[in-house]
């Protein structure tokens, strides 16, 4: 399923010289057509300029397809709504890594492999102890995931397909263990070992909320809701953190170092950090009567406040993940039997914003982060863990995209260029002559 060079081309004419060049157009299996500018510099000595990549395809990929205008997200051709309804997170992991849904035997083997990689090197616990107890768990995760390169040398040779696969399995399997350890460390409780008789999400709940003093039984409804949250966050094509992982990986860096770079990028409030920011924003708004005041602030260009959980670079329609999460939010709140005033507030905020001309004109809709924080806090996670859960789930997307890139025979180091706006050459001025 590689891109196909169509017979169609684009002509670019430099008006000052009249020079015209033909650029090929590539067609993917779906999505916008792509102008191939790879020969542009060689042919004209000019670069293209697109600093935030609003019009640039940075790679080709067969993993995930998004149509942001319509609100479509598919992995391997399967709609996210279907995967969330009928699949499990580990099945989606297999799909992202291998491009096909597994049959029963493949699924059994995969589940076994992931389960038996969930324990981390015992020495790793001492790394946690080097952090302050009040460290943000995302700061801890960047450190410990990066440190995996120091613990698992036998899966850092990126030229070996077996080592690449083992590194992928280790990352998917150990992220819940390491995320739960980050939480346990922050609350001063002992680390909990993973349990091989539990499913992925259930095991994570056990490691997070269980204590050695008594048995912990996760509610099946909560475990299912969490598994669904993981599915919804598993991959999202070439977003900022995934592009970071690809760029880091393009230099030949080992996969653990690349994923640590992805976690660092995800932390920002414009990306994965938005789920924490949404809850903090809802708490700050406090009551429905203050919504108009905050909407005005969001619209005011002189005010840095933005409506967190709203807007998306790609979706100019309802984020399909937000639709699924909204329903899950009701299910979880019913299961835990709490009435959450923040949910009421969020729904009212969504209703008012979607009728507001500013948001309508700019096609700003709720994104995946708008409802995820409400569910996660109802399950019992503190806000500081929200982005960690996003990182846990997105690890498979990062590693699948990294693997796809490494396995591309045409892969080269990523090296963007620039439009230079600094000084032209000038003479060095000795210090005693400087003003
Ligand atoms: N509140 C108020 N105005 C907004 C918002 C918002 N949340 N988002 C975009 N706008 C305005 C923006 O000011 C601009 O207005 P104008 O055309 O008058 O200058 C217009 O809408 C276009 O926005 P943009 O900033 O050019 O869009 P972008 O593609 O660069 O940014 C975004 C996308 C997600 C960073 C942005 O919408 C945002 O900051 N949203 C809030 C943070 C958030 O929820 N992030 C989670 C994204 S989804 C999860 C993930 O992928 O990690």
């Amino acid at each position: 399923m590689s891109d196909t060079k169509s017979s169609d081309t684009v002509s670019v004419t430099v008006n000052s010289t009249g020079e015209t060049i033909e650029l090929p157009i590539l067609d993917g299996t779906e999505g916008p057509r792509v102008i191939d500018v790879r020969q542009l510099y060689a042919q004209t000595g000019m670069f293209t300029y697109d600093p935030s990549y609003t019009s640039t395809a940075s790679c080709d990929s067969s993993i995930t397809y998004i149509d942001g205008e319509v609100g479509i997200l598919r992995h391997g051709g399967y709609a996210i709504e279907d995967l969330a309804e009928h699949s499990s997170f580990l099945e989606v992991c297999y799909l992202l890594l291998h491009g096909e849904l597994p049959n029963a035997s493949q699924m059994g083997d995969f589940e076994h492999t992931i389960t038996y990689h969930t324990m981390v090197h015992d020495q790793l616990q001492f790394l946690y102890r080097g952090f302050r107890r009040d460290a943000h768990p995302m700061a801890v995760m960047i450190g410990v995931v990066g440190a995996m390169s120091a613990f698992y040398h036998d899966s850092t040779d990126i030229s070996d397909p077996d080592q690449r696969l083992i590194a992928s399995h280790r990352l998917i399997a150990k992220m819940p263990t390491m995320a739960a350890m980050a939480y346990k460390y922050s609350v001063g409780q002992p680390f909990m070992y993973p349990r091989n008789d539990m499913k992925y999400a259930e095991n994570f709940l056990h490691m997070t909320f269980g204590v050695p003093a008594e048995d912990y039984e996760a509610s099946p409804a909560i475990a299912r809701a969490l598994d669904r949250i993981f599915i919804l966050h598993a991959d999202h094509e070439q977003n900022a953190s995934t592009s970071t992982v690809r760029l880091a990986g393009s230099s030949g860096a080992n996969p653990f170092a690349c994923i640590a770079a992805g976690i660092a990028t995800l932390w920002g409030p414009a990306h994965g950090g938005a789920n924490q920011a949404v809850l903090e924003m809802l708490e700050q708004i406090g009551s429905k009567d203050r919504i108009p005041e905050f909407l005005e602030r969001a619209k005011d260009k002189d005010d840095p406040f933005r409506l967190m959980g709203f807007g998306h670079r790609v979706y100019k329609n309802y984020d399909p993940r937000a639709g699924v999460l909204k329903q899950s939010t009701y299910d979880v709140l019913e299961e835990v039997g709490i009435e959450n005033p923040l949910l009421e507030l969020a729904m009212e905020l969504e209703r008012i914003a979607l009728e507001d001309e500013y948001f309508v004109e700019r096609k700003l809709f709720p994104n995946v982060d708008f409802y995820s924080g409400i569910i996660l806090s109802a399950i019992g996670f503190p806000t500081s863990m929200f982005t960690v859960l996003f990182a846990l789930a997105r690890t498979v997307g990062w590693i699948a995209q990294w693997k796809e890139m490494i396995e591309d025979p045409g892969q080269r180091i990523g090296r963007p260029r620039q439009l230079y706006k600094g000084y032209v050459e000038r003479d060095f001025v000795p210090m005693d002559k400087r003003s």
Side-chain angles (χ1 to χ4, degrees):
M1 274 193 276
S2 60
D3 55 47
T4 45
K5 198 167 174 172
S6 74
S7 53
D8 212 354
T9 57
V10 164
S11 304
V12 179
T13 303
V14 183
N15 290 332
S16 57
T17 61
E19 180 196 9
T20 296
I21 57 150
E22 297 286 313
L23 295 170
I25 296 181
L26 307 178
D27 286 318
T29 45
E30 280 190 276
R33 310 183 81 192
V34 171
I35 303 169
D36 180 354
V37 295
R38 279 174 293 186
Q39 294 307 315
L40 187 70
Y41 180 62
Q43 287 181 11
T44 67
M46 286 189 281
F47 297 140
T48 54
Y49 180 67
D50 188 19
S52 312
Y53 305 115
T54 43
S55 298
T56 296
S58 61
C59 61
D60 48 59
S61 179
S62 309
I63 300 174
T64 292
Y65 174 70
I66 301 176
D67 183 338
E69 298 300 324
V70 190
I72 286 175
L73 167 60
R74 297 190 204 118
H75 300 311
Y78 299 103
I80 191 67
E81 292 87 347
D82 283 343
L83 293 172
E85 179 71 24
H86 306 295
S87 193
S88 69
F89 177 64
L90 279 192
E91 196 178 33
V92 173
C93 288
Y94 186 98
L95 173 66
L96 293 172
L97 281 179
H98 301 287
E100 297 293 341
L101 286 170
N103 62 29
S105 135
Q106 289 165 331
M107 187 62 207
D109 289 348
F110 185 66
E111 249 179 317
H112 182 273
T113 303
I114 297 301
T115 303
Y116 282 82
H117 271 109
T118 49
M119 262 174 65
V120 294
H121 193 293
D122 213 43
Q123 189 79 9
L124 203 77
Q125 59 176 296
F126 298 109
L127 206 67
Y128 284 82
R129 297 193 176 143
F131 287 99
R132 286 170 53 137
R133 293 265 179 196
D134 61 356
H136 194 290
M138 279 300 272
V140 175
M141 292 304 286
I142 294 167
V144 290
V145 173
M148 285 178 80
S149 355
F151 284 88
Y152 302 103
H153 305 149
D154 59 345
S155 51
T156 52
D157 177 358
I158 64 158
S159 64
D160 178 346
D162 290 336
Q163 291 202 28
R164 290 200 296 268
L165 196 60
I166 294 169
S168 310
H169 291 159
R170 281 184 166 145
L171 277 157
I172 295 166
K174 295 183 200 304
M175 276 300 278
T177 314
M178 294 188 299
M181 287 170 81
Y183 171 70
K184 285 301 197 196
Y185 186 71
S186 72
V187 292
Q189 290 182 2
F191 297 138
M192 295 290 286
Y193 285 113
R195 288 262 306 263
N196 289 351
D197 59 335
M198 290 184 178
K199 297 274 187 197
Y200 194 86
E202 182 191 8
N203 190 27
F204 177 59
L205 287 166
H206 146 76
M207 290 187 286
T208 305
F209 298 119
V211 287
E214 60 188 30
D215 287 338
Y216 172 82
E217 210 175 307
S219 137
I222 298 289
R224 175 69 192 129
L226 190 60
D227 197 71
R228 187 171 283 174
I229 290 176
F230 291 162
I231 293 174
L232 296 175
H233 288 84
D235 190 49
H236 213 228
E237 53 117 303
Q238 310 312 320
N239 54 82
S241 55
T242 303
S243 298
T244 302
V245 170
R246 277 187 178 257
L247 195 57
S250 77
S251 74
N254 77 68
F256 305 114
C258 297
I259 301 302
I263 298 174
T265 308
L266 186 75
W267 195 3
H271 196 3
N275 53 14
Q276 174 171 347
V278 169
L279 214 76
E280 287 164 357
M281 174 190 75
L282 291 172
E283 279 161 2
Q284 196 190 356
I285 297 175
S287 60
K288 289 182 189 172
D289 55 311
R290 295 190 67 202
I291 292 175
E293 175 196 329
F294 280 86
L295 279 187
E296 285 316 306
R297 285 189 57 193
K299 293 190 254 178
D300 180 356
K301 298 291 172 208
D302 297 326
D303 187 328
F305 177 80
R306 279 193 160 198
L307 208 55
M308 300 314 287
F310 259 76
H312 198 276
R313 171 61 63 80
V314 181
Y315 292 120
K316 302 302 166 199
N317 204 320
Y318 212 95
D319 179 341
R321 302 168 299 173
V324 178
L325 270 178
K326 192 173 176 178
Q327 186 49 49
S328 282
T329 310
Y330 292 115
D331 299 346
V332 166
L333 291 180
E334 199 180 303
E335 171 68 17
V336 295
I338 50 170
E339 290 204 356
N340 189 326
L342 291 185
L343 176 62
E344 298 282 313
L345 189 60
M347 285 187 339
E348 185 64 1
L349 180 60
E350 178 189 330
R351 190 188 66 75
I352 299 179
L354 291 182
E355 285 172 1
D356 190 296
E357 203 181 318
Y358 174 97
F359 290 87
V360 174
E361 252 176 25
R362 290 169 180 75
K363 299 185 178 171
L364 299 171
F365 290 87
N367 59 49
V368 69
D369 288 320
F370 193 66
Y371 284 102
S372 65
I374 296 172
I375 305 191
L376 295 177
S377 73
I379 296 177
F381 292 102
T383 43
S384 61
M385 280 295 288
F386 294 176
T387 316
V388 173
L389 273 97
F390 194 156
L392 185 169
R394 182 56 58 84
T395 295
V396 63
W398 290 328
I399 201 72
Q401 300 266 352
W402 169 84
K403 221 165 122 309
E404 180 180 61
M405 180 192 69
I406 298 291
E407 287 166 10
D408 177 351
Q411 187 265 322
R412 296 165 71 198
I413 187 168
R415 176 56 167 93
R417 300 303 299 267
Q418 63 174 7
L419 174 62
Y420 177 67
K421 288 190 166 176
Y423 288 109
V424 294
E425 188 179 17
R426 50 187 179 153
D427 292 334
F428 181 79
V429 184
M431 194 174 282
D432 61 354
K433 300 267 178 338
R434 294 177 208 159
S435 51

